[in-house]
Amino acid sequence: MIRNGSDSAVPRRLQWQTAEVSGLIDETPRVRSLVLTLPDWPGHKPGQHVDIRLTGEDGYRAQRSYSIASAPESENVMLTVERIEDGEVSPYLSIDVRKGDKFELRGPIGGHFVWTSALQGPLFLIAGGSGVAPLMAMLRHRAAAKNKAPATLLYSSRAFEDIIYRTELERLAAMGDGLKIVHTLTRQQPAGWAGGARRIDRAMLESEGFPPAARPRIFICGPTRLVESASQIMLDLGHEANLIKTERFGPTGG
Amino acid sequence: MAQPPISRGFRGRKPPVQSDRIPPGQHLVHDFPVLSAGPTPHAPLSEWSFSLDQGGKALKEWSWEEFNALPQTRLKTDIHCVTTWSKLDTQWRGVSIDDLLKAAGLAEPPGDFTMAHCDGDYTTNVPVDDLAGGKGMVATHFEGEPLAPEHGGPARLLVPHLYFWKSAKWIRTLEFLDSDEPGFWEQLGYHIYGDPWQEQRYAGD
């Protein structure tokens, strides 16, 4: 069963609150992280998301969902936004927004695509592009909780400069706490690149992941094609369906 | 919140046409995003069956072949996902809940509520009044083609006037119940009913 009794507590009502942008981090040429200060944040689990609502000067409103990229241990909430060229909300959040700007937010939302340090066993995270955001919340939480269970992030980006959180991921991998990070670059690789140079495929998932007998918890987040293919391969390799959790990032995140 | 903060410099892009068909907080898309909680099931049609259940027993069960021989209903409708996208004029074909009840020899629905059970252990709850009377169907075709697995094929529930998580993918059983019980997302903080026009996204909305 996918259902998990511990996640089934009576939910509290989600109220809109005003988030203030207290920091901006340019992650890649197309991706920016927003650090938000919130008056009343109840805490979250890594993997959960929030809804945000923008109101223009003329009263026009737009609402979107974004994954939380920060650990629960972090003081602020971080969202990571990839610019969709013809999008309505993401260009504003990834280009126009400045420190001190405000918008409405409510959350955290979702209790399925979540991992906390209390869960036993190896962790296998599979990411494509900005789908790494909720998985980063898990890795940041894992480090903050000093969890030493083996964990692997297999992360597909288009090119080296498109790798989100690159230096922080290097730092996390260097901690020697059982975390392995494997990059694959699908379109362009720098000279002397030692990582993967193709889309995530069966050979990669088999060699970089854990054997089914180790019963890893598997989280897959990225574009639909990657999620469909990686989850199907993990099933074919013998992993149990109820250990595979998926979340998708499509162009309609806009 | 009475006075929402103005997002300095945000102009947005107003829905060009038919904004009266877009519920609050939604935006129009033209593709068909895929969202699901786990791997897409690929059960062979020879092993597929669909049943109406009550009290743990099948009232009636159909094989894929039998199911496709039932009267077909076509529906052109708008759909609204809780993740804020809406899609207009989607075209579906399948078997209406009314025709399923009739084919099962049931003059009346045998309960006021239902739980849809799906491959992959997904469940969702829908009141009978939102399925009967021409409101819901088990859809097997989208835009004239067999429903693709990632969109819920071979068959999904279609309840287009509720948020789209209620239109459960990969449906295998519709269970009739006397009381309303929360399904998968409903236990994880999503609204028990999910009316997009009331913006019932999460519990308490």
Side-chain angles (χ1 to χ4, degrees):
Chain A
M1 288 295 290
I2 299 174
R3 270 191 250 167
N4 180 343
S6 64
D7 286 332
S8 308
V10 177
R12 100 206 136 77
R13 184 167 181 203
L14 288 168
Q15 303 276 9
W16 290 103
Q17 55 181 306
T18 299
E20 182 172 335
V21 178
S22 54
L24 293 165
I25 303 159
D26 285 317
E27 305 280 5
T28 78
R30 298 191 312 127
V31 175
R32 187 154 85 158
S33 289
L34 282 66
V35 180
L36 304 175
T37 303
L38 295 159
D40 177 28
W41 186 244
H44 67 276
K45 292 178 184 171
Q48 287 188 296
H49 66 274
V50 295
D51 281 3
I52 67 157
R53 188 159 71 183
L54 302 180
T55 303
E57 277 152 37
D58 60 355
Y60 174 73
R61 281 175 162 184
Q63 187 168 320
R64 295 292 187 278
S65 292
Y66 284 101
S67 289
I68 301 167
S70 48
E73 291 81 0
S74 166
E75 196 182 323
N76 297 303
V77 166
M78 180 195 274
L79 309 181
T80 297
V81 180
E82 177 180 18
R83 189 168 73 247
I84 311 298
E85 291 307 336
D86 60 348
E88 180 182 45
V89 169
S90 68
Y92 176 76
L93 292 179
S94 61
I95 299 172
D96 302 326
V97 127
R98 289 183 222 147
K99 263 194 218 179
D101 283 348
K102 291 176 177 156
F103 51 80
E104 290 175 287
L105 177 150
R106 64 174 182 163
I109 298 154
H112 177 66
F113 193 86
V114 296
W115 179 81
T116 64
S117 185
L119 295 171
Q120 302 298 308
L123 180 62
F124 188 25
L125 308 179
I126 302 160
S130 61
V132 73
L135 308 182
M136 191 62 178
M138 297 178 191
L139 291 181
R140 286 169 166 159
H141 166 62
R142 180 181 174 278
K146 303 199 179 339
N147 182 306
K148 296 199 167 33
T152 295
L153 169 66
L154 175 58
Y155 179 15
S156 172
S157 306
R158 284 186 290 196
F160 188 73
E161 59 269 21
D162 293 319
I163 300 175
I164 307 169
Y165 318 126
R166 184 169 47 81
T167 50
E168 186 178 349
L169 287 172
E170 280 168 17
R171 205 162 57 237
L172 288 173
M175 283 171 64
D177 65 353
L179 172 64
K180 179 174 81 165
I181 292 177
V182 181
H183 289 287
T184 186
L185 302 178
T186 56
R187 285 199 194 162
Q188 200 182 355
Q189 303 83 28
W193 174 248
R198 57 184 199 276
R199 288 177 188 280
I200 289 174
D201 59 16
R202 185 183 171 110
M204 220 181 268
L205 289 165
E206 192 163 23
S207 63
E208 304 297 352
F210 302 90
R215 306 194 77 242
R217 290 177 188 272
I218 301 161
F219 292 85
I220 310 174
C221 187
T224 289
R225 181 160 61 168
L226 179 149
V227 173
E228 284 294 317
S229 131
S231 56
Q232 186 58 49
I233 293 165
M234 296 311 280
L235 285 178
D236 293 345
L237 290 173
H239 294 273
E240 292 165 45
N242 62 6
L243 295 176
I244 305 172
K245 297 187 175 184
T246 61
E247 188 115 298
R248 293 151 215 255
F249 275 53
T252 46
Chain B
M1 170 171 327
Q3 203 76 50
I6 302 299
S7 301
R8 180 201 52 79
F10 175 66
R11 271 168 207 94
R13 190 176 54 203
K14 319 232 172 350
V17 284
Q18 298 179 309
S19 57
D20 58 327
R21 289 168 68 184
I22 311 284
Q26 297 290 110
H27 66 284
L28 192 60
V29 300
H30 298 285
D31 58 351
F32 193 176
V34 171
L35 295 162
S36 39
T40 296
H42 292 268
L45 294 178
S46 58
E47 290 167 24
W48 186 91
S49 64
F50 177 79
S51 64
L52 300 180
D53 280 24
Q54 189 180 33
K57 283 202 312 230
L59 302 167
K60 177 79 182 172
E61 184 170 352
W62 295 270
S63 69
W64 179 248
E65 210 162 69
E66 290 163 345
F67 192 84
N68 281 276
L70 294 170
Q72 298 289 300
T73 295
R74 284 181 170 77
L75 186 63
K76 184 166 159 182
T77 186
D78 304 340
I79 56 178
H80 311 290
C81 177
V82 71
T83 63
T84 73
W85 58 262
S86 291
K87 191 171 169 63
L88 303 184
D89 295 322
T90 57
Q91 299 192 64
W92 302 84
R93 176 156 72 85
V95 183
S96 72
I97 303 300
D98 300 326
D99 284 331
L100 287 170
L101 289 167
K102 207 181 292 175
L106 297 162
E108 292 280 319
D112 289 340
F113 299 93
T114 71
M115 185 72 78
H117 297 268
C118 307
D119 281 332
D121 289 334
Y122 184 79
T123 55
T124 194
N125 56 304
V126 184
V128 159
D129 283 350
D130 291 275
L131 294 173
K135 288 184 170 174
M137 66 157 68
V138 174
T140 54
H141 287 71
F142 173 70
E143 305 293 346
E145 300 286 334
L147 189 58
E150 66 268 28
H151 288 304
R156 78 182 295 165
L157 190 61
L158 183 68
V159 204
H161 64 287
L162 301 179
Y163 279 125
F164 213 45
W165 88 78
K166 295 287 186 181
S167 293
K169 292 176 178 181
W170 314 306
I171 189 168
R172 296 291 296 271
T173 296
L174 189 67
E175 179 190 13
F176 288 91
L177 301 168
D178 291 328
S179 61
D180 201 9
E181 291 172 20
F184 179 79
W185 287 119
E186 294 83 4
Q187 289 178 49
L188 292 172
Y190 284 76
H191 198 275
I192 192 78
Y193 182 63
D195 180 353
W197 294 97
Q198 304 293 321
E199 216 176 345
Q200 293 172 338
R201 298 177 194 276
Y202 311 115
D205 279 354

